[in-house]
Amino acid sequence: MRGLVIKSTGSWYQVHAEDGIDYDCRIKGKFRIQGIQTTNPIAVGDYVEFELEPNSDNGIIDKLHDRKNYIIRKSINLSKQAQIIAANMDQAFLVVTLASPRTSLGFIDRFLATAEAYSIPAVLIFNKLDLFNEDGLAILAEYAAIYENIGYPCYTVSAIEGTNIPQIESLLKDKTTLFSGHSGVGKSSLINALLPGRSIKTGEISEASDKGQHTTTFAEMHTLPFGGYLIDTPGIRELGIFDIRPEELGHYFREMRDLMHECKFNNCRHVNEPGCAVIKAVENGEIELSRYESYLSIYNGNETRA
């Protein structure tokens, strides 16, 4: 039987089969020894084949179909392994906030570089518009401009008040979209606004740390009432970059990629080389300093950048 993985809880996967029924499945043992250096060889969004166990409604997955794409992050506690967040998506939305809790520019840049590396169109959704006064809105516009100027669409919403939700619906229609972001950015509230009646659990912000509490503990795909699929993922505290070599990294920063052919040396690292067009662009204000600092942080192997 063939089906689509719509939910992952670690050792079990829920597969929506071609007969319209959802089956709880586990992995056949050989998946564990195929040299897949990830904590989860199968992810939400994967197409698989499975067979039912004798005298049971549960299935055993025995084949994984080729992926169109996937997005992956390094497991912070298991540095040699990685976690596939989701597979076979048309686009990835990063839900961010500038307050309560603040999403760092470094985190945004890591996510965008990862999406670029796996050829996934990325969109930034600035949530909690209802918390901003006039000064805050001006800062929000400055942040959005950093990314809009290099070609990333940015949208502002309030999941609580429903502001601009129809705009987001139009972007999601008939596409498979990954929703990601820090815990506490209002991702679950936004999904609830898009999926009325589904009631995905939402959490409170910790006053001590101004960090969100994890409310989604596993990845899950939802069918959108207006067409398409939405993949909800657990809140990500840190985003470790995986499988991107330092010498490749500049290709995944759009504004750097456009200038690299102008560097004096073909193998320029854009760190301290003479005649580097990227460094010159940073000095001239053509490339945002925050973006370049993120590049250096990732290049030097730092796991996080606040």
Side-chain angles (χ1 to χ4, degrees):
M1 299 174 74
R2 186 176 188 268
L4 172 65
V5 178
I6 60 172
K7 190 174 182 178
S8 164
T9 59
S11 55
W12 285 90
Y13 301 88
Q14 194 171 82
V15 179
H16 183 70
E18 290 178 331
D19 62 6
I21 298 173
D22 295 343
Y23 294 91
D24 289 327
C25 298
R26 55 192 178 87
I27 295 173
K28 197 167 184 176
K30 68 177 181 180
F31 272 91
R32 301 292 183 194
I33 54 172
Q34 285 182 333
I36 302 173
Q37 292 295 304
T38 58
T39 56
N40 59 329
I42 288 175
V44 168
D46 274 330
Y47 287 95
V48 297
E49 291 183 18
F50 67 98
E51 55 189 34
L52 293 181
E53 297 185 73
N55 305 315
S56 172
D57 292 329
N58 295 333
I60 297 179
I61 296 170
D62 53 18
K63 183 177 180 181
L64 170 65
H65 285 261
D66 289 342
R67 294 172 171 133
K68 175 174 75 172
N69 58 33
Y70 58 92
I71 197 161
I72 193 168
R73 68 172 182 139
K74 185 185 290 184
S75 299
I76 297 298
N77 298 327
L78 301 164
S79 61
K80 290 188 178 179
Q81 286 194 305
Q83 176 192 24
I84 299 171
I85 299 173
N88 298 319
M89 69 216 78
D90 298 311
Q91 55 189 355
F93 284 13
L94 184 65
V95 183
V96 301
T97 53
L98 298 191
S100 190
R102 175 181 171 272
T103 305
S104 72
L105 293 177
F107 181 84
I108 294 173
D109 294 336
R110 285 169 179 274
F111 185 89
L112 294 178
T114 301
E116 289 283 334
Y118 293 95
S119 303
I120 301 165
V123 174
L124 298 181
I125 309 292
F126 289 85
N127 192 18
K128 304 193 179 181
L129 199 55
D130 50 288
L131 297 182
F132 289 92
N133 58 22
E134 201 168 311
D135 290 341
L137 289 173
I139 295 170
L140 176 60
E142 288 177 16
Y143 271 58
I146 292 173
Y147 297 99
E148 287 174 335
N149 288 341
I150 51 175
Y152 290 106
C154 296
Y155 297 88
T156 56
V157 302
S158 168
I160 298 299
E161 296 184 347
T163 309
N164 296 334
I165 296 301
Q167 196 176 28
I168 305 304
E169 288 179 352
S170 68
L171 300 173
L172 299 173
K173 182 173 169 54
D174 299 330
K175 293 187 175 181
T176 298
T177 306
L178 172 79
F179 264 58
S180 193
H182 279 321
S183 299
V185 295
K187 183 166 55 70
S188 295
S189 297
L190 180 55
I191 293 172
N192 280 334
L194 295 162
L195 294 168
R198 206 67 64 92
S199 295
I200 293 165
K201 186 180 175 186
T202 59
E204 302 296 323
I205 304 298
S206 164
E207 290 185 14
S209 64
D210 197 34
K211 299 284 187 187
Q213 310 300 303
H214 289 287
T215 49
T216 305
T217 55
F218 45 80
E220 184 170 6
M221 179 180 281
H222 303 280
T223 303
L224 294 165
F226 42 82
Y229 298 98
L230 186 157
I231 302 175
D232 186 18
T233 57
I236 299 174
R237 287 248 167 84
E238 315 291 357
L239 184 62
I241 296 290
F242 183 78
D243 202 26
I244 297 177
R245 297 197 304 271
E247 62 270 21
E248 296 176 338
L249 181 60
H251 292 279
Y252 307 130
F253 279 70
R254 290 180 175 182
E255 65 276 48
M256 294 176 63
R257 184 170 65 216
D258 293 342
L259 291 171
M260 286 160 64
H261 66 282
E262 297 178 18
C263 291
K264 182 176 180 180
F265 300 108
N266 289 335
N267 60 348
C268 186
R269 300 171 303 151
H270 322 298
V271 176
N272 54 15
E273 294 84 351
C276 174
V278 169
I279 293 175
K280 183 179 177 182
V282 174
E283 292 170 346
N284 293 342
E286 296 165 26
I287 289 179
E288 284 286 339
L289 180 60
S290 64
R291 289 276 293 168
Y292 183 62
E293 288 174 341
S294 292
Y295 169 81
L296 291 178
S297 175
I298 300 169
Y299 186 91
N300 290 320
N302 298 332
E303 287 301 322
T304 60
R305 185 172 95 76

